[in-house]
């Protein structure tokens, strides 16, 4: 991830009715980590991405696939 905000994660978290701290506890991370991912300032591990997706009922594509950057690299 680059410096682009991950609004899809933030929206999904809020739709699930979870705070950053609650999501962090459910996936075994810190609130700060979730905040940094949402701010686009932290590139989470695949394991953490999968945990977030499972917790929020979303796919990796839903939350983490960056279509614009993918088009530039292909």
């Amino acid at each position: 991830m680059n410096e682009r905000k991950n609004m899809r994660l933030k929206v999904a978290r809020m739709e699930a009715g979870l705070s950053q701290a609650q999501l962090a506890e459910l996936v075994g991370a810190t609130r700060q980590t979730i905040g940094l991912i949402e701010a686009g300032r932290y590139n989470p591990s695949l394991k953490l991405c999968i945990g977030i997706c499972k917790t929020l009922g979303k796919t990796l594509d839903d939350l983490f696939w960056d279509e614009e950057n993918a088009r530039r690299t292909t």
Side-chain angles (χ1 to χ4, degrees):
M1 274 177 119
N2 56 20
E3 287 290 322
R4 304 174 102 194
K5 291 185 180 182
N6 190 333
M7 294 305 295
R8 293 176 289 172
L9 173 56
K10 184 175 184 175
V11 168
R13 174 182 58 76
M14 293 175 75
E15 287 175 346
L18 296 172
S19 67
Q20 288 180 346
Q22 290 168 321
L23 177 58
E25 185 174 332
L26 290 170
V27 299
T30 65
R31 185 210 52 81
Q32 291 85 351
T33 297
I34 300 300
L36 288 171
I37 296 168
E38 288 181 0
R41 295 177 43 215
Y42 180 76
N43 190 7
S45 68
L46 180 58
K47 180 180 177 181
L48 180 53
C49 289
I50 290 170
I52 290 169
C53 289
K54 285 182 178 180
T55 300
L56 297 176
K58 301 289 184 181
T59 67
L60 288 168
D61 287 348
D62 291 339
L63 299 181
F64 297 103
W65 184 253
D66 186 349
E67 187 66 36
E68 184 177 318
N69 281 338
R71 276 189 253 133
R72 281 190 227 149
T73 60
T74 57

